[in-house]
Amino acid sequence: MHHWVRALASDFHGNLPQPRSGHTAVNIGKSKIVVFGGLFDKKFHSDIIVYDIEKRLWFHPECTGSGSDGQVGPSPRAFHVAVAIDCHMFIFGGRLGSNRFGDFWVLDTDIWQWSELTSFGDLPSPRDFAAASAIANRKIVMYGGWDGKKWLSDVYVLDTMSLEWTELPVTGTLPPPRCGHTATMVEKRLLVYGGRGGGGPIMGDLWALKGLIEEDSETPAWTQLKLPGQAPSARCGHTITSGGHILLLFGGHGTGGWLSRYDIYYNDCIVLDRVSAQWKRLSIANEPPAARAYHSLTSIGSRYLLYGGFDGKTTFGDLWWLVPEGDTIAKRWTSIPNNVPQDQPVATGENYDMTSRMKEGQQGQSAVSELQRALGISASLSCDRDPIVDELEDKEFTELASSLVGETVSSNVKLLHIQALREHWRKATPSSIRLKELGPLLRDYQRLITRHHFPNGGSQMQSSVVTFPEKEAYCFYHIRNVQQLRMDDIKKLLAEYKQLQPDLREEV
C-alpha cells in the first residue's frame, strides 16, 4: 500500500520551484535531483533547479560555461532529453516555440559548468519529444521523437567518452514511429512504452530492444512484449521511474474513446514488476494528485517525488510524495486525512478555473463529462463536499473565532467571537491569511452566499448545481474542500468574501 501526500513547506529548505511542464529531472547519484528547462505560460526556461537530498534544500546554482555562440548554457527549451552519467547531465534536443534543436550539452554538477559538445559520427537530426536512457553509466541510447515534419523511429547510441554518435542498424520488425513515449534501460534491454504515433494515434504498446551491449554480440532487434496483468491504457507524456525491482508508470494523457479528438489526462500508478514480468496496479490508500502529463517523477530511496506537469489548461507547480505504508510521511498523512496542514504549500497554476477544480476531484472522466468539458457545458458536482452548516455548528470556525479573541468558547460569547472573526477577515490582506484559516473562511464564504441567494435554506443549501444572477457567479461556491484552492486563489476568495460584508452585519 502506498500513499500520495502533498509536500509540506517543512519538508524543504530554500525556494520551491515554480510551475512548469516539459522539463526534465535527473538523479545525480543519491545526492541530488537536477531540474532543467520547461515551459510555463508560453515562456520557455533554461534555468537549473537543484534539490539537495541530504540537506532537503532547493536552490538555483550559479552556472558558468560558454557555447558556440558565447552563451553560458543551453537556450530555453522544453520537451528535450536529459540523461545523467556520474556527476554529469547530458542534454539533447527539445524545442523553443516551433524551433527544434539538435545541439548537445553537458553540465558538470560538481562545479556547475556547462559545455556545448562537438560530437562526431552519425549525428541525430533536431527533434523534440524523444526519449533516452543511460547504458552502463557510459553510453546513452535515444529513440524516436518528432522533427517537425515526421515521427521518428531511429535509434542512436552516444559514447560519452568519445562523444561519437552511432545510428543503430536494427533488423526485423520495427515499432511504429512515435514521440512522447518513455525509454528505460532494464539490464540489457531498452523498454519503450506508449507515445503518439504517425498520423496522431496514441499507443499503448511495449517494446524491448536488444543488441545495445557490445560485449554480448547480439544483433540489434526489437521485440513487442505483451505482458499479463492490468496493463496501462494508451498514453503519451507519462513518466516511467525505476525503483528497485519495479518500474512505476504515472500520468500522461490519452484519448477518450469515441471522443477521440479530446485528451484525457491520467493520475493512475501502474507497476511493471521485473520479477514476475507483469503489469500491476499500485495500491493507493488515498486520492492521488490532479491528473497531468509532461511532469517529472524521481525516486529518492523508497520515495518518489512528483513535480509539475500540465493537464490541458493548468501548469502545475505542486510537489507530491508517493511513499510506502509505514513511511513517516505516510503516517503524517493518515493522522490528518481530511485537513490541510498549517505549513502545507498550496499548489500554483495558470488559468485554474472551475472546470479544472471539478476535474481535480475525479479519478477518471467519463465520455459524458469529457463532452461537457469540450462543449463548455457546466457539469454537476457531486455532493461530497463539506456540508454547509450553521456557523455555531462549525467547530473549527468557532474555535478559530475564540482563539482570535483569546477567550474560551461559551454559548454567551460565541456570536461576538464570530463577529470579530468576520471583521478580522474584512480587514485582512491575502498575505496575512494563515493556512489554518482557509477552511473556515471558505465555508463561511459559501454559507453567506447560500443565505444571500436562498434565504429560506432548505434543500437548495446542499444543491450540487446552483446558479446565481448575472455578475454574481461566485467562483469558489462549488469548491468541495480547501485542498482544491491554489495560492493565487486566496486573493480573489478574500476579495469576494469582502463583497459580502453588507450581508455580514445582518447575519450576526
Side-chain angles (χ1 to χ4, degrees):
M1 186 69 69
H2 280 68
H3 298 256
W4 279 110
V5 185
R6 190 191 294 267
L8 303 181
S10 58
D11 290 341
F12 310 111
H13 304 290
N15 296 321
L16 300 183
Q18 296 302 304
R20 67 184 67 206
S21 66
H23 57 284
T24 52
V26 300
N27 287 83
I28 303 296
K30 297 181 179 180
S31 63
K32 50 185 172 275
I33 295 171
V34 180
V35 177
F36 170 71
L39 170 68
F40 173 63
D41 196 20
K42 300 181 181 180
K43 180 180 180 181
F44 290 79
H45 296 285
S46 61
D47 55 340
I48 289 288
I49 311 166
V50 182
Y51 177 56
D52 186 309
I53 294 172
E54 183 178 350
K55 296 179 181 178
R56 298 188 292 116
L57 172 67
W58 286 99
F59 68 96
H60 292 259
E62 185 174 344
C63 296
T64 60
S66 60
S68 57
D69 295 330
Q71 72 271 39
V72 170
S75 56
R77 67 190 64 199
F79 312 116
H80 50 281
V81 297
V83 177
I85 302 287
D86 289 327
C87 66
H88 297 93
M89 178 178 69
F90 292 85
I91 297 290
F92 178 83
R95 70 177 173 91
L96 170 62
S98 60
N99 182 31
R100 287 167 181 83
F101 298 108
D103 53 350
F104 183 38
W105 292 79
V106 63
L107 175 67
D108 186 329
T109 66
D110 281 344
I111 58 176
W112 300 114
Q113 184 177 56
W114 282 108
S115 299
E116 185 174 7
L117 301 177
T118 301
S119 48
F120 307 93
D122 305 320
L123 301 182
S125 59
R127 66 191 65 198
D128 56 8
F129 296 106
S133 187
I135 306 174
N137 208 33
R138 172 171 173 169
K139 296 184 177 182
I140 294 173
V141 55
M142 182 174 70
Y143 169 70
W146 166 251
D147 68 0
K149 295 182 179 179
K150 63 182 180 297
W151 286 264
L152 304 172
S153 60
D154 46 7
V155 179
Y156 285 89
V157 176
L158 169 75
D159 187 317
T160 62
M161 300 298 290
S162 65
L163 298 182
E164 182 177 5
W165 286 98
T166 302
E167 183 172 6
L168 199 67
V170 185
T171 60
T173 303
L174 303 180
R178 67 192 64 208
C179 67
H181 51 286
T182 51
T184 311
M185 279 298 296
V186 178
E187 297 176 353
K188 298 180 180 182
R189 300 288 188 267
L190 180 73
L191 296 185
V192 169
Y193 176 77
R196 186 185 294 273
I202 293 179
M203 298 177 286
D205 50 350
L206 177 67
W207 292 78
L209 175 63
K210 69 176 183 178
L212 295 168
I213 308 299
E214 291 182 1
E215 294 77 10
D216 292 345
S217 300
E218 288 185 310
T219 301
W222 287 102
T223 302
Q224 184 172 6
L225 304 179
K226 296 184 179 181
L227 303 182
Q230 296 177 291
S233 56
R235 66 189 68 198
C236 64
H238 54 284
T239 52
I240 289 186
T241 309
S242 180
H245 70 281
I246 68 169
L247 299 178
L248 175 64
L249 183 151
F250 174 77
H253 69 96
T255 51
W258 58 278
L259 291 171
S260 59
R261 291 179 298 168
Y262 307 114
D263 285 339
I264 291 180
Y265 288 78
Y266 298 106
N267 56 0
D268 50 352
C269 288
I270 301 98
V271 165
L272 197 165
D273 190 310
R274 294 166 55 183
V275 176
S276 61
Q278 63 179 317
W279 293 106
K280 299 178 181 178
R281 297 282 165 167
L282 191 68
S283 297
I284 302 294
N286 57 342
E287 187 173 344
R292 65 193 69 198
Y294 308 111
H295 51 280
S296 61
L297 186 69
T298 48
S299 61
I300 304 176
S302 62
R303 298 172 176 175
Y304 297 87
L305 182 62
L306 170 67
Y307 166 54
F310 182 68
D311 73 349
K313 289 190 175 182
T314 302
T315 301
F316 296 99
D318 47 355
L319 292 159
W320 288 79
W321 295 110
L322 177 62
V323 298
E325 194 168 21
D327 190 291
T328 53
I329 292 180
K331 293 177 182 177
R332 179 183 74 198
W333 173 261
T334 54
S335 66
I336 44 173
N338 297 316
N339 297 299
V340 178
Q342 293 184 26
D343 62 343
Q344 179 170 327
V346 182
T348 58
E350 58 177 332
N351 301 327
Y352 193 77
D353 59 5
M354 183 57 61
T355 304
S356 299
R357 291 192 180 89
M358 291 163 58
K359 187 167 63 176
E360 189 172 285
Q362 301 170 343
Q363 294 190 18
Q365 295 180 337
S366 67
V368 174
S369 64
E370 272 297 298
L371 182 60
Q372 288 174 319
R373 180 175 70 84
L375 298 179
I377 302 172
S378 298
S380 300
L381 287 173
S382 61
C383 299
D384 56 349
R385 72 174 181 186
D386 294 334
I388 301 174
V389 298
D390 186 271
E391 50 267 85
L392 295 177
E393 298 176 7
D394 189 337
K395 184 178 179 181
E396 187 181 5
F397 180 88
T398 55
E399 287 181 351
L400 179 63
S402 295
S403 67
L404 178 69
V405 177
E407 298 176 5
T408 305
V409 177
S410 69
S411 57
N412 296 328
V413 296
K414 271 185 179 180
L415 293 179
L416 294 177
H417 291 183
I418 291 170
Q419 189 174 16
L421 178 58
R422 287 173 171 164
E423 184 68 11
H424 160 73
W425 282 332
R426 188 180 69 83
K427 297 178 180 179
T429 62
S431 61
S432 69
I433 295 292
R434 297 169 295 173
L435 285 181
K436 70 176 183 180
E437 296 180 53
L438 288 180
L441 174 61
L442 176 63
R443 291 195 300 275
D444 201 44
Y445 163 95
Q446 293 171 339
R447 178 165 42 239
L448 294 170
I449 291 172
T450 300
R451 288 181 181 168
H452 177 71
H453 290 282
F454 307 108
N456 296 325
S459 60
Q460 292 149 310
M461 288 188 69
Q462 303 304 326
S463 176
S464 61
V465 180
V466 179
T467 57
F468 300 102
E470 188 176 3
K471 298 182 181 180
E472 292 187 329
Y474 299 105
C475 294
F476 306 99
Y477 183 81
H478 293 289
I479 294 296
R480 294 184 300 160
N481 56 61
V482 72
Q483 289 171 294
Q484 292 180 276
L485 286 177
R486 303 282 177 179
M487 188 66 75
D488 49 356
D489 287 337
I490 298 175
K491 180 178 180 180
K492 189 170 184 179
L493 171 64
L494 191 61
E496 290 191 6
Y497 183 87
K498 290 179 180 182
Q499 291 176 359
L500 296 167
Q501 286 299 316
D503 304 305
L504 295 184
R505 298 185 178 90
E506 300 173 7
E507 300 300 325
V508 179

